[in-house]
Amino acid sequence: MKKILFLAILILSLVTSVLAANPHAFYGTAIFSNGPAADGTIITAKLNGEVVDTAEVKNGKYGN
């Protein structure tokens, strides 16, 4: 029982560490009114007015 509890705590700690290291992700399709955004267009994500991440459009998509 102690081994199971230890493993559960270890796994929970690892998951928490991963989530804390990457608390956000953004991705999608970049479209203007006249069609898809050109390759090389920079998409910027802001939180409370501060830039938190950027991504470059490739094949009409951005992000991971």
Side-chain angles (χ1 to χ4, degrees):
M1 184 68 170
K2 288 182 182 181
K3 287 182 182 180
I4 293 172
L5 181 59
F6 174 76
L7 287 175
I9 292 170
L10 179 62
I11 290 169
L12 183 60
S13 297
L14 290 173
V15 169
T16 302
S17 296
V18 168
L19 291 176
N22 189 12
H24 66 277
F26 69 105
Y27 52 90
T29 304
I31 301 172
F32 291 109
S33 60
N34 61 346
D39 285 357
T41 300
I42 301 298
I43 304 294
T44 304
K46 292 182 177 184
L47 181 62
N48 295 327
E50 291 188 41
V51 175
V52 294
D53 208 352
T54 60
E56 185 175 340
V57 173
K58 191 177 230 181
N59 298 322
K61 299 187 184 299
Y62 63 93
N64 300 354

